[in-house]
Amino acid sequence: MIQIQKDKKSIVILMADDDPDDRSMTKEALEENFLLNELRFVEDGAQLMDYLKRRGKYTDPESSPRPGVILLDLNMPKKDGRECLKEIKSDDELKSIPVIVLTTSKAEEDILRTYDLGVNSFVTKPVTFVELVEVMKNLGNYWFDIVQLPKYNS
């Protein structure tokens, strides 16, 4: 069942990124902005799809809750972000989850391709932590204060 999300604190953010420094800095940047959302991590595209499809170590909905938003790196091992995005947006049960590409790529080809695949936003990772804090503040304001997200009971 889908309901309109009223309590922004309960939205789970799932970040798929193979770089431990990027994961750590993103977590810190979200904390700097007092975003109280639960943040979960997967390290590659295969783990992302296992998490979303509740396979392997992600079968328990209590320990692997459905995300309200996915932060997706494009360049990951096993299955890259483009493949994951295509799979997510072609799956009737997953396609309504907003996906924000957060990547080092600035390539026009990546931007066009990901929007063609149904990405909700494309953001180039900032170079400095201060810039990352600002990006996370803006993403938080938009995705958790302005936009109405569906809430999933699962």
Side-chain angles (χ1 to χ4, degrees):
M1 173 190 269
I2 299 175
Q3 299 172 334
I4 297 300
Q5 179 69 353
K6 302 271 192 232
D7 179 7
K8 64 184 175 183
K9 293 179 196 170
S10 67
I11 296 172
V12 173
I13 301 169
L14 178 60
M15 182 175 191
D17 196 312
D18 61 315
D19 186 320
D21 291 335
D22 285 351
R23 292 191 306 265
S24 177
M25 286 189 353
T26 300
K27 182 179 189 293
E28 290 177 33
L30 288 167
E31 289 170 354
E32 285 275 328
N33 286 297
F34 304 104
L35 290 177
L36 303 175
N37 303 75
E38 184 177 346
L39 182 60
R40 302 281 178 137
F41 297 102
V42 292
E43 298 178 9
D44 60 52
Q47 284 182 8
L48 172 61
M49 296 316 301
D50 284 348
Y51 185 106
L52 293 173
K53 301 268 190 173
R54 293 217 170 110
R55 298 184 295 227
K57 68 180 183 179
Y58 304 107
T59 57
D60 180 15
E62 290 296 316
S63 61
S64 304
R66 183 179 173 103
V69 172
I70 299 169
L71 299 178
L72 179 65
D73 187 22
L74 290 182
N75 302 308
M76 296 184 293
K78 297 187 182 176
K79 182 180 271 199
D80 77 10
R82 296 159 197 85
E83 293 173 273
C84 292
L85 179 61
K86 184 176 183 179
E87 193 171 334
I88 291 165
K89 293 302 180 179
S90 65
D91 184 302
D92 286 339
E93 294 197 15
L94 302 175
K95 67 183 177 185
S96 63
I97 301 172
V99 178
I100 302 165
V101 164
L102 185 60
T103 187
T104 56
S105 175
K106 292 181 180 179
E108 186 71 18
E109 174 185 324
D110 282 335
I111 296 167
L112 291 172
R113 182 163 179 220
T114 56
Y115 278 111
D116 283 344
L117 291 172
V119 77
N120 298 88
S121 299
F122 187 101
V123 178
T124 301
K125 288 180 186 173
V127 177
T128 69
F129 180 71
V130 171
E131 292 170 325
L132 182 61
V133 169
E134 188 63 24
V135 165
M136 289 298 119
K137 176 182 174 186
N138 290 328
L139 286 175
N141 286 339
Y142 181 74
W143 286 105
F144 306 121
D145 291 336
I146 296 172
V147 172
Q148 291 291 316
L149 294 173
K151 181 177 180 181
Y152 299 90
N153 297 333
S154 48

